[in-house]
Amino acid sequence: MNKIIGTVTEQEREEIQALFERRNGLNELAKILTADNNELYERLVKDLSETTAKFQNWWNTMSSKYSWESAENGNWEINFETCEIYLVTP
């Protein structure tokens, strides 16, 4: 079930969209990169870890700022076109 629980500003949307796209790109790279190139692999792991932390921090910050509703086994999603935030529950 998807329930609209709020919105964010266009600037806030741009922040999470950039992190979302970066994280997805790094995850795709991780699928094809092997540990044979140790230096590149280590950089990828570090960058992915930092990006994931920034991504989660954005959600934590925004949920505190806007007091979003949450639910057990639920997660938040954003509609990048409308800046609307959804609570998604099973």
Side-chain angles (χ1 to χ4, degrees):
M1 181 176 110
N2 293 359
K3 175 182 177 183
I4 297 175
I5 58 167
T7 59
V8 293
T9 67
E10 288 184 12
Q11 180 182 357
E12 291 165 340
R13 184 237 2 237
E14 290 169 9
E15 291 170 8
I16 194 62
Q17 189 169 15
L19 290 168
F20 176 80
E21 291 171 357
R22 182 169 185 80
R23 189 184 66 164
N24 285 352
L26 291 168
N27 280 327
E28 288 301 312
L29 182 58
K31 291 177 183 176
I32 61 171
L33 187 65
T34 64
D36 295 341
N37 185 337
N38 195 46
E39 181 181 340
L40 185 58
Y41 181 78
E42 291 300 322
R43 285 178 35 201
L44 171 67
V45 169
K46 181 179 183 227
D47 197 1
L48 184 55
S49 175
E50 290 172 357
T51 301
T52 300
K54 288 177 185 177
F55 184 83
Q56 186 59 52
N57 187 51
W58 185 93
W59 285 105
N60 295 343
T61 300
M62 294 301 119
S63 71
S64 291
K65 177 180 179 179
Y66 294 112
S67 301
W68 290 334
E69 178 183 342
S70 61
E72 189 174 333
N73 298 321
N75 64 286
W76 296 303
E77 291 183 0
I78 184 169
N79 179 323
F80 290 120
E81 292 180 20
T82 65
C83 298
E84 293 173 324
I85 304 298
Y86 294 86
L87 175 61
V88 179
T89 55

